[in-house]
């Protein structure tokens, strides 16, 4: 795979008018191939692999658990350009909790694939529902898409916000509002 991708990058460099044999570009094709393999490493993982038995019984906790401002970096499937931002995740346990770092790892599994932000949001919700069957779960992603920044409309400050809510976050307006208030608060944490 690495050799094919390296050769493809050399061809691309030639197509844009560069000399892949000049000093500054000699190692670029292989570096690019390795970087792309890392940025798409989510294809070789599933959420169950990164959760790794970090689901625990917790019958006593029935309130919202929120992890916010988790950095994500993904690549738009339409232009293969990055989009970067933060994800906020909340859930209400229904007898099970998940290790907090596993929420970030689930986000990484799906963001390290060619993506659209809308699907990424839903896939994270789906994975959490499957892993812990919460009373409710919500995911909000805020990001900047380089396909809108570096080309096309070239709008540097534009942010895209997507959300997906399930369970009581979808059916109970008060619970949904509490989740959105928590993620929008500017606390020092």
């Amino acid at each position: 795979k690495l050799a094919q991708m390296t050769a493809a990058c050399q061809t691309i460099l030639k197509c844009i008018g560069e000399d892949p044999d000049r000093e500054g570009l000699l190692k670029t094709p292989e570096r690019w191939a390795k970087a792309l393999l890392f940025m798409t490493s989510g294809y070789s993982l599933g959420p169950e692999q990164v959760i790794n038995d970090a689901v625990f019984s917790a019958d006593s906790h029935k309130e919202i658990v929120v992890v916010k401002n988790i950095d994500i970096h993904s690549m738009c499937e339409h232009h293969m350009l990055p989009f970067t931002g933060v994800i906020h995740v909340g859930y209400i346990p229904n007898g099970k909790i998940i290790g907090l770092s596993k929420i970030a790892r689930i986000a990484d599994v799906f963001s390290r694939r060619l993506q659209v932000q809308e699907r990424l949001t839903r896939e994270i919700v789906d994975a959490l529902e499957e892993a812990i069957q919460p009373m409710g779960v919500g995911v909000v992603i805020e990001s900047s898409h380089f396909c809108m920044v570096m080309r096309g409309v070239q709008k540097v400050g534009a942010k895209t916000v997507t959300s997906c809510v399930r369970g009581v976050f979808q059916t109970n307006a008060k619970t949904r509002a509490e989740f959105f208030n928590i993620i929008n608060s500017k606390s020092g944490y």
Side-chain angles (χ1 to χ4, degrees):
K1 238 193 282 193
L2 186 63
Q4 281 182 298
M5 292 173 70
T6 298
C9 184
Q10 289 170 331
T11 300
I12 291 168
L13 287 171
K14 289 176 188 173
C15 288
I16 64 169
E18 268 294 353
D19 175 8
D21 294 321
R22 75 174 172 86
E23 183 182 8
L25 293 176
L26 283 175
K27 294 184 179 181
T28 297
E30 186 175 340
R31 282 193 298 260
W32 172 84
K34 287 178 180 178
L36 187 58
L37 286 170
F38 173 77
M39 291 183 287
T40 58
S41 62
Y43 288 117
S44 64
L45 289 172
E48 60 285 341
Q49 292 166 282
V50 297
I51 293 170
N52 198 23
D53 299 324
V55 173
F56 309 100
S57 295
D59 291 330
S60 63
H61 192 82
K62 301 280 188 206
E63 301 298 325
I64 296 177
V65 175
V66 174
V67 181
K68 64 186 211 176
N69 297 320
I70 302 167
D71 290 338
I72 59 153
H73 310 283
S74 192
M75 289 182 54
C76 163
E77 69 182 30
H78 301 131
H79 301 98
M80 287 183 62
L81 289 172
F83 64 93
T84 63
V86 293
I87 177 174
H88 314 293
V89 178
Y91 74 95
I92 298 178
N94 190 18
K96 295 181 197 173
I97 59 172
I98 188 167
L100 298 176
S101 69
K102 303 309 179 185
I103 294 172
R105 291 185 189 280
I106 290 169
D108 283 345
V109 165
F110 293 111
S111 65
R112 289 187 182 143
R113 299 174 181 187
L114 298 181
Q115 274 291 8
V116 294
Q117 185 173 324
E118 299 87 342
R119 182 176 60 238
L120 174 59
T121 309
R122 182 182 39 79
E123 286 177 334
I124 295 165
V125 167
D126 291 345
L128 286 167
E129 275 196 315
E130 185 174 324
I132 57 173
Q133 300 86 44
M135 293 170 53
V137 61
V139 170
V140 174
I141 299 177
E142 304 172 54
S143 67
S144 177
H145 289 250
F146 282 64
C147 58
M148 284 185 58
V149 172
M150 297 177 68
R151 55 157 302 283
V153 297
Q154 299 177 7
K155 300 301 177 200
V156 174
K159 296 275 187 217
T160 301
V161 179
T162 53
S163 70
C164 182
V165 292
R166 302 261 177 82
V168 295
F169 288 0
Q170 187 173 32
T171 60
N172 185 312
K174 186 176 175 184
T175 303
R176 183 173 50 255
E178 182 181 357
F179 169 62
F180 282 99
N181 284 338
I182 291 169
I183 66 169
N184 289 320
S185 72
K186 301 294 182 202
S187 67
Y189 298 103

